[in-house]
């Protein structure tokens, strides 16, 4: 029997697998960069121990995966499906939000779109999801473009949203992709 902690996915270039505490050093290497976390709504990591705690208390959630290159299985980013109760916006019970980030050295290689497409299929086919949501904060053009590339379309904007981990207030834009839209994009 495959448990939640054993679940992993393979794409052409990537492995998406559960995070382990052994990933703390790799996580810290990329999450300490101020170009990564703050624009996504979380503070830079301050130490390997801080990253280990994030793995234990945040990244160990169900349906949260380390994004790894197939060649070395080393974590270079993260992607996950967020349940309705934890979503950044109001979603139906049969909908999920997807969140992601990747280390700066890997920007522009199409790894996150590849990972998103993999989790889209998992969400719609395996989990019976009816729609996926994605959000990005004002100014995060890389994330906006990534979402568009993966079939998400603009849905709405929420202003004056508290970003508790960063201790500030932001504007967040939301995109959405329905199962029917995904099926048309994938000629299913």
């Amino acid at each position: 029997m495959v448990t939640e902690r054993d679940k992993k996915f393979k794409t052409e270039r990537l492995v998406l697998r559960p995070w382990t505490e052994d990933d703390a050093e790799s996580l810290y290497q990329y999450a300490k960069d101020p170009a990564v976390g703050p624009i996504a709504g979380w503070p830079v990591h301050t130490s390997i121990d801080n990253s280990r705690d994030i793995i234990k208390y945040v990244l160990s959630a169900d349906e949260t995966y380390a994004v790894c290159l197939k060649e070395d299985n080393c974590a270079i980013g993260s992607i996950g499906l967020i349940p309705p109760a934890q979503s950044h916006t109001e979603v139906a019970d049969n909908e999920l939000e997807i969140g992601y980030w990747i280390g700066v050295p890997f920007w522009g290689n199409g790894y996150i779109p590849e990972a998103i497409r993999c989790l889209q299929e998992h969400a719609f086919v395996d989990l019976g999801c009816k729609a996926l949501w994605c959000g990005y904060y004002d100014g995060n053009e890389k994330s906006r473009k990534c979402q568009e590339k993966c079939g998400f379309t603009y849905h709405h904007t929420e202003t004056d949203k508290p970003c508790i981990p960063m201790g500030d207030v932001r504007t967040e834009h939301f995109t959405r992709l329905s199962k029917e839209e995904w099926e048309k994009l994938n000629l299913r």
Side-chain angles (χ1 to χ4, degrees), residues 75-128:
I76 61 170
S78 187
I79 191 164
L81 297 171
I82 303 164
Q86 296 169 352
S87 178
H88 289 199
T89 193
E90 192 171 320
V91 304
D93 288 342
N94 59 359
E95 299 176 344
L96 296 167
E97 183 177 345
I98 192 165
Y100 54 83
W101 66 267
I102 195 163
V104 173
F106 306 97
W107 288 4
N109 290 297
Y111 294 131
I112 287 299
E114 189 173 322
I116 288 172
R117 289 184 188 105
C118 178
L119 281 196
Q120 284 173 333
E121 182 170 359
H122 173 55
F124 290 130
V125 175
D126 302 334
L127 302 178

Side-chain angles (χ1 to χ4, degrees), residues 3-77:
T3 67
E4 193 66 39
R5 295 310 312 157
D6 296 327
K7 191 186 308 180
K8 69 172 130 178
F9 303 95
K10 292 182 179 176
T11 69
E12 181 182 336
R13 303 177 295 167
L14 304 172
V15 173
L16 309 181
R17 60 162 175 79
W19 285 90
T20 70
E21 289 185 41
D22 292 339
D23 294 317
E25 191 171 331
S26 179
L27 174 58
Y28 176 63
Q29 180 179 349
Y30 303 114
K32 69 182 179 182
D33 190 322
V36 177
I39 197 145
W42 46 269
V44 297
H45 290 204
T46 56
S47 67
I48 293 172
D49 286 338
N50 175 223
S51 291
R52 188 173 291 108
D53 285 344
I54 297 295
I55 290 169
K56 282 196 274 193
Y57 302 112
V58 179
L59 299 176
S60 63
D62 286 347
E63 300 296 346
T64 301
Y65 303 95
V67 176
C68 307
L69 296 177
K70 269 186 179 176
E71 60 210 39
D72 62 11
N73 201 33
C74 188
I76 61 170

Side-chain angles (χ1 to χ4, degrees), residues 127-160:
L127 302 178
C129 183
K130 297 299 179 198
L132 280 172
W133 291 82
C134 216
Y136 62 93
Y137 291 115
D138 231 13
N140 192 344
E141 288 302 302
K142 286 178 176 48
S143 197
R144 180 188 62 77
K145 289 176 184 175
C146 177
Q147 291 169 33
E148 287 175 358
K149 189 183 291 187
C150 293
F152 289 87
T153 56
Y154 174 79
H155 189 272
H156 71 278
T157 296
E158 296 178 17
T159 58
D160 301 321

